[in-house]
């Protein structure tokens, strides 16, 4: 047989050729550098071979070519002229035929002409550095080919000193969207080709260090740090603050303050070689697996983490420095202490900011082959020797680039790439190169290559079993800590169950926390849709809005999920002291949940609320507790009040005592509430007689339809469609993921018809003191139902409705909600309530809900999820009122209830696919829910825990209505 033809470079499984060895990244030195970012000439072709390489010649005239910005993705420029983004989660958007790629392979030719600055040095060498190109690039300078490379989110350099000229340099780059490297980058994100990170020309003087490795360990027993900087060129290291001036390669030990994510102490230093002076920022810390725990500086960590993709709603994975800093500041303000760089090394400047501001980092390799799972991992590159050089190249480029960042404490081999010899080779190389960090890979369930047991989305019960040491498995795994590299899927409304996870983490030492999936919704700004997701660009294959699963909305507004996460993971616990069976004790328990810091950087304050209104405040003295310690602190005596039978409580807050690089002074870190009284029930209104008429029945301030029993008015307020409601527009977590083993309640609710309940009135009855309407609420085509009785009474000014609900038939699933729905005039646009707020909450997402007196416009009660769904409920509401210019309606619960108000029906919300589909109507629709079903995390994780579920069972609840005339 004839020998097979050699593969073109685009399809060769290898990493490429012509690039320089990987080395460390640093932002500045005294060596010259020239940014090549800016406007480049651009030509797009439909295939990889549509044009020859004549465009790379210096004499080539690109007249007629387009212009684009570099860094950038071409599909996000040109107003659609250069193609469109595409999103898939698991499936490759091309036939799985490794290492081959489709003939239709969008290819962008880029040209950039530049002059050297007048002061550019004449001696030495130079390199051109590409920090990120998707997915394969071939490079020429001044007509000479330099080489080609793959590894989209990794740095690549070429030696170019011998080719440079004072002016008219032409850098030509051919970028292919698809390559053999694409099989290694199936990373649950938008496919976005282009030169999306910086391009830089770096002068390399004679005698400069090509590479160096900063080793800076910390001994927690004697509080000393040992510094050794290895360099491939002999030089010296100076750390003036520590009095260090030593030769490279020589260790020196001195007293130091350690680096931690809580106290990110960096020492300014300088590496000096004959040809270059490089500023360094050194953090002393030691990472170890000790006694089965991940420890830094001798103390175990608890990760309060997030997974972070690089994303911007207009520029994709091209993220500027200000946005990176803003992200980290937001993380710190929301008590997040760790980031997993899912699923590739980030822009190196992000890691420098983590060093500066303080975050633990799991740095993940640019590797995911998830699409091979669809074929039972057949032909998976991680177990194919042809691909091992590429895998090793990716591991080496990650480690060498990022090895000098103290924030990076764990290397991750990649994500969802099965098992194989290539992964073992990566782990072995990393251990040989850097013994000062640990290794992570979730797919290694036997923990042969890793230093921790890592899981994605395990149910709470399984996490508890692991924490108790009852999980079984290989002996090595049982001796390792557990981290949840992904949990609490933050898609749409949710995630639920965060507090239940956190209780397990804080109870069992082996459970060292986890990383919420993920940081930000990947929705592209769209003029007609608000934000676009998978399928909105006409993709043949896509995974819809599964790409919008973050704690931030695309514009970087915190979602309710992030507010909840901040509360759940707060590093100071403030809770009522246990008073046993007696009344509240007026004492608060303060617990330090930091890993390293005492509470000296915080101040505490108390405030006292009566019926949700603050009547007094003051400072609270709290001991300077060490990590893990707690103290009970007595609160001041309750201020006197003339109001009888009212709710009273303390609120205690922990605030930053001084400004930090990431937050202002008095930024709230943690809070807790201590009730002095229990919630009081609104008394029922009774004593008034109903008065029948030909068409209407009157009872106190209300009128009813005499035939149907429907409430028509309360005072001057018209009321529409008051009835029992058991339906909500399913959340992403209600609908669940198709691969989840648990029951997916959203589809089940729709299957049994809860979205089309019918209401039949069976009787309208009058008595001396009440008006009763008997109904049956049931879906068409089913024999199940909710027999519902509305029992109305009044005292002449107020109107009380007592509702009793008895399920009929066999209810095999929980209910979404149970309560009342009613419509009010559109002018009733302002809401006031006493209850939980200021934001939304549900049974398993209510940790961040603060009891108080709140006000908001109805429009502001909505949470603008990229994919519309149930949102906006306020919990623990005692009373709520909606007011317009001239009147209003007050609604009080016989017990705390859930309050929702919006300008569209649940049915309209259910039908919408983008927020722009929701048009305000002429009615404000109000839900007063006795109970709600929880949220869970089943869009990719576990469902709603049993104690947060709403089951159909006999139920009674009451609401009292009163008119607010001239409100």
């Amino acid at each position: 047989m004839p020998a097979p033809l050699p593969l073109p470079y685009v399809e060769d499984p290898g990493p490429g050729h012509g690039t320089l060895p990987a080395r460390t990244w640093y932002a500045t030195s005294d060596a010259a550098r020239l940014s090549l970012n800016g406007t480049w000439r651009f030509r797009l072709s439909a295939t990889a071979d549509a044009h020859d390489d004549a465009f790379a010649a210096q004499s080539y005239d690109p007249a007629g070519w387009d212009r684009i910005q570099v860094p950038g993705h071409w599909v996000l420029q040109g107003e659609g002229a250069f193609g469109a983004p595409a999103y898939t989660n698991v499936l490759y958007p091309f036939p799985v035929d490794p290492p081959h790629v489709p003939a239709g392979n969008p290819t962008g030719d880029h040209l950039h002409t530049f002059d050297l600055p007048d002061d550019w040095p004449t001696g030495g060498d130079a390199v051109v550095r590409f920090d990120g190109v998707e997915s394969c690039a071939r490079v020429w300078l001044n007509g000479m080919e330099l080489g080609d490379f793959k590894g989209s989110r990794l740095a690549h350099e070429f030696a170019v000193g011998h080719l440079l000229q004072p002016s008219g340099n032409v850098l030509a780059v051919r970028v292919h969207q698809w390559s053999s490297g694409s099989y290694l980058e199936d990373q649950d994100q938008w496919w976005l080709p282009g030169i999306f990170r910086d391009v830089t020309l770096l002068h390399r003087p004679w005698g400069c260090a090509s590479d160096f490795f900063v080793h800076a360990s910390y001994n927690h027993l004697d509080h000393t740090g040992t510094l050794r900087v290895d360099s491939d060129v002999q030089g010296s290291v100076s750390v003036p603050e520590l009095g260090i001036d030593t030769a490279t390669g020589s260790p020196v030990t001195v007293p130091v303050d350690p680096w931690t994510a809580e106290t990110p102490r960096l020492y300014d230093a300088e590496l000096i070689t004959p040809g270059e002076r490089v500023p360094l920022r050194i953090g002393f810390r030691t990472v170890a697996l000790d006694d089965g725990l991940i420890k830094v500086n001798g103390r175990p960590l608890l990760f309060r983490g997030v997974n972070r993709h690089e994303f911007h709603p207009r520029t994709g994975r091209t993220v500027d420095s200000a946005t990176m800093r803003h992200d980290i500041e937001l993380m710190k303000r929301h008590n997040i202490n760790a980031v997993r760089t899912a699923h590739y090394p980030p822009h190196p400047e992000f890691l420098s900011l983590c060093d500066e501001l303080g975050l633990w980092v799991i740095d993940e390799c640019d590797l995911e082959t998830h699409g091979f799972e669809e074929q039972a991992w057949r032909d998976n590159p991680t177990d194919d020797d042809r691909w091992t050089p590429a895998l090793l190249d990716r591991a080496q480029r990650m480690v060498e680039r990022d090895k000098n960042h103290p924030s990076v404490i764990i290397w991750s081999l990649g994500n969802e790439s099965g098992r194989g010899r290539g992964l073992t080779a990566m782990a072995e190389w990393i251990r040989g190169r850097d013994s000062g960090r640990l290794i992570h890979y979730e797919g290694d369930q036997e923990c042969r290559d890793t230093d921790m047991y890592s899981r994605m989305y395990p149910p709470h019960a399984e996490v508890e079993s692991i924490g108790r040491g009852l999980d079984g498995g290989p002996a090595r795994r049982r001796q390792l800590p557990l981290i949840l590299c992904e949990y609490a899927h933050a898609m749409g409304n949710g995630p639920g169950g965060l507090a239940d996870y956190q209780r397990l983490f804080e109870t069992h030492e082996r459970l060292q926390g986890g990383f919420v999936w993920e940081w930000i919704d990947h929705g592209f700004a769209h003029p007609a849709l608000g934000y676009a997701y998978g399928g909105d660009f006409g993709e043949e294959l896509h995974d819809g809005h599964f790409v919008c699963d973050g704690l931030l909305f695309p514009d970087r507004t915190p979602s309710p999920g992030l507010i909840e996460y901040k509360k759940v993971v707060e590093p100071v616990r403030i809770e009522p002291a246990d008073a046993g069976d007696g009344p509240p004790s007026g004492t608060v328990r303060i617990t330090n949940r930091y890993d390293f810091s005492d509470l000296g950087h915080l101040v505490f304050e108390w405030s006292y609320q009566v019926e949700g209104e603050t009547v007094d405040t003051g400072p609270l003295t709290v001991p300077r507790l060490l990590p893990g310690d707690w103290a009970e602190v007595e609160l001041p005596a309750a201020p006197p009040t003339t109001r009888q039978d009212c709710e009273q409580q303390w609120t205690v807050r922990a605030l930053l005592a001084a400004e930090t690089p990431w937050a202002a002074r008095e930024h709230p870190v943690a809070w807790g509430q201590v009730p002095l009284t229990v919630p009081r029930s609104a008394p029922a209104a009774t004593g008034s007689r109903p008065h029948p008429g030909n068409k209407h029945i009157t009872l106190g301030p209300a009128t009813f339809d005499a035939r149907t029993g429907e409430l028509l008015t309360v005072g001057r307020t018209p009321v529409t469609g008051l009835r029992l409601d058991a339906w909500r527009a399913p959340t992403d977590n209600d609908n669940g993921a198709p691969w989840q083993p648990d029951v997916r309640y959203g589809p089940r609710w729709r299957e049994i018809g809860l979205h089309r309940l019918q209401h039949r009135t069976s009787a309208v009855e009058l008595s001396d003191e009440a008006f009763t309407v008997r109904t049956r609420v049931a879906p068409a085509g089913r024999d199940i139902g909710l027999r519902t009785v509305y029992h109305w009474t009044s005292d002449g000014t107020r109107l009380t409705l007592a509702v009793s609900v008895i399920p009929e038939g066999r209810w095999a699933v929980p209910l979404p909600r149970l309560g009342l729905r009613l419509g009010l005039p559109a002018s009733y646009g302002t809401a006031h309530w006493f209850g939980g707020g200021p934001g939304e909450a549900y049974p398993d997402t209510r940790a961040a809900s603060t009891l108080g007196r709140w006000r908001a416009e109805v429009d502001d009660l909505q949470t603008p999820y990229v994919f519309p769904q149930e949102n906006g409920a306020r919990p623990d509401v005692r009373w709520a009122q909606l007011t317009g210019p001239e009147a209003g309606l007050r609604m009080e619960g016989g017990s705390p209830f859930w309050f929702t108000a919006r300008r569209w029906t649940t049915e309209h919300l259910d039908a919408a696919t983008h927020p722009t589909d929701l048009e305000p109507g002429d009615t404000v629709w109000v839900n007063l829910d006795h109970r709600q079903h929880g949220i869970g995390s089943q869009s990719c994780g576990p469902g709603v825990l049993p104690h947060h579920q709403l089951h159909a069972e006999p139920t009674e609840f009451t609401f009292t209505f009163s008119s607010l005339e001239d409100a």
Side-chain angles (χ1 to χ4, degrees), residues 667-818:
H667 163 78
V669 172
W671 60 270
Q673 293 188 305
V674 181
L676 183 63
T677 59
V678 297
R680 61 184 180 90
S681 300
T686 60
S688 184
R689 294 173 60 90
H691 298 284
N694 290 333
K695 293 184 177 180
H696 299 125
I697 295 171
T698 61
L699 176 62
T703 60
F704 299 83
D705 185 288
R707 183 179 62 86
T708 65
E710 180 180 358
L711 177 65
L712 301 177
T713 64
V714 177
R716 290 193 293 153
T717 299
V719 179
T720 302
L722 185 147
R723 65 188 190 186
L724 187 79
D725 195 12
W727 174 245
R728 72 185 186 196
T731 67
D732 291 317
N733 289 303
D734 290 336
N735 285 327
W739 59 84
Q740 292 298 94
D742 295 340
V743 175
R744 298 163 56 210
Y745 288 127
R748 291 294 306 279
W749 293 337
R750 208 177 293 276
E751 179 186 344
I752 65 175
L754 293 187
H755 62 304
R756 46 181 169 81
L757 291 173
Q758 298 183 17
H759 299 253
R760 176 176 61 83
T761 300
S762 59
V764 176
E765 303 169 352
L766 289 176
S767 68
D768 288 344
E769 295 186 353
F771 171 46
T772 302
V773 181
R774 302 184 185 278
T775 69
R776 189 173 189 271
V777 182
R782 300 287 176 176
D783 65 352
I784 58 174
L786 300 169
R787 189 164 296 280
T788 306
V789 178
Y790 305 92
H791 187 76
W792 297 94
T793 59
S794 175
D795 61 5
T797 58
R798 298 182 305 133
L799 181 72
T800 292
L801 170 59
V803 182
S804 66
V805 181
I806 298 177
E808 296 181 334
R810 181 177 179 272
W811 286 83
V813 295
L815 294 171
R817 68 179 348 134
L818 188 67

Side-chain angles (χ1 to χ4, degrees), residues 259-264 285 301 303-306 308 324-325 327-341 350-362 405-409 515 519 662:
W259 188 97
T260 75
E262 296 169 9
T263 54
R285 55 105 187 98
L301 303 183
F303 292 114
R304 303 169 171 91
V306 292
R308 174 188 179 267
M324 295 182 212
R325 178 177 285 273
D327 277 354
I328 297 176
E329 290 172 349
L330 275 177
M331 292 176 191
K332 297 285 288 188
R333 290 175 198 156
H334 288 86
N335 295 329
I336 289 164
N337 71 357
V339 170
R340 174 178 173 232
T341 68
F350 179 81
L351 298 179
S352 293
L353 291 168
C354 291
D355 297 341
E356 174 189 338
L357 299 175
L359 287 174
W360 309 114
V361 176
I362 296 181
H405 292 285
S407 58
V408 176
I409 62 171
F515 297 78
W519 178 236
W662 47 269

Side-chain angles (χ1 to χ4, degrees), residues 701 714-717 828 883 885-890 962-967:
V714 177
R716 290 193 293 153
T717 299
Y828 286 40
T883 58
E886 297 181 352
L889 184 70
R890 182 180 175 95
S962 53
S963 179
L964 300 173
E965 304 295 339
D966 301 318

Side-chain angles (χ1 to χ4, degrees), residues 874-957:
R874 269 58 180 182
D876 301 314
V877 175
R878 278 65 164 157
W879 56 259
Q881 55 192 43
L882 285 164
T883 58
E886 297 181 352
L889 184 70
R890 182 180 175 95
M891 299 153 282
E892 298 177 79
S895 59
F897 61 95
W898 308 80
F899 166 64
T900 309
R902 55 175 68 105
R903 295 188 181 277
W904 37 79
T905 65
T906 298
E907 289 74 20
H908 288 139
L909 183 61
D910 187 22
T913 60
H914 293 84
T916 51
D917 296 333
L918 295 167
E919 293 290 338
D922 57 3
T923 302
V924 172
W925 291 98
V926 180
N927 277 92
L928 308 173
D929 290 310
H930 175 61
R931 287 191 61 194
Q932 278 262 4
H933 184 66
I935 296 297
S937 188
Q938 205 176 1
S939 54
C940 195
V944 178
L945 288 167
H947 56 283
H948 297 308
Q949 296 178 2
L950 170 57
H951 294 284
E953 56 190 11
T955 305
E956 295 182 352
F957 53 88

Side-chain angles (χ1 to χ4, degrees), residues 367-543:
L367 173 63
E368 182 171 337
T369 65
H370 201 172
F372 286 90
E373 185 179 32
E374 295 295 309
Q375 55 198 55
W377 299 107
R378 186 178 68 256
D379 299 327
N380 183 16
T382 60
D383 200 31
D384 184 334
D385 291 340
R386 295 178 301 165
W387 298 82
T388 299
L391 302 180
L392 285 171
D393 181 75
R394 289 171 183 247
Q396 292 163 5
R397 291 188 180 278
M398 171 184 69
V399 171
E400 299 295 5
R401 192 198 74 169
D402 298 341
K403 60 182 178 285
N404 292 325
H405 292 285
S407 58
V408 176
I409 62 171
I410 297 172
W411 303 116
S412 178
L413 303 181
N415 184 67
E416 293 176 319
S417 296
R419 288 292 301 131
R421 301 184 297 274
L423 290 162
T424 298
M426 295 168 68
E428 290 176 349
W429 183 89
I430 292 173
R431 290 191 197 283
R433 177 57 172 152
D434 181 16
S435 61
R437 293 179 173 95
L438 306 179
I439 293 180
H440 165 271
Y441 177 62
E442 182 269 342
D444 183 10
Q445 293 294 291
E446 296 183 356
C447 300
R448 291 178 297 184
D449 297 326
T450 63
D451 297 307
M452 61 209 70
Y453 181 25
S454 178
R455 291 292 306 279
M456 293 182 180
Y457 310 105
H460 297 76
E462 183 179 354
V463 173
E464 182 171 19
S465 178
I466 294 170
R468 293 179 180 275
L470 305 176
D471 50 309
R476 171 170 166 75
R477 190 177 82 186
R478 297 196 305 272
Q479 297 169 359
L480 296 178
L482 175 77
I483 67 165
L484 306 187
C485 67
E486 293 180 24
Y487 84 115
H489 197 248
M491 186 177 180
N493 188 335
L498 281 168
D500 301 276
Y501 274 119
Q502 195 67 21
R503 279 191 288 272
L504 295 173
F505 297 158
E506 294 179 2
T507 300
H508 303 287
E509 189 177 45
R510 185 186 177 192
L511 309 180
Q512 293 200 252
F515 297 78
V516 168
W517 185 269
E518 66 166 304
W519 178 236
I520 187 170
D521 285 344
H522 300 197
F524 280 117
H526 191 286
L529 302 175
Y531 290 102
Y533 48 74
D536 286 335
F537 297 100
E539 305 101 298
E540 178 182 44
L541 188 68
H542 66 84
D543 283 293

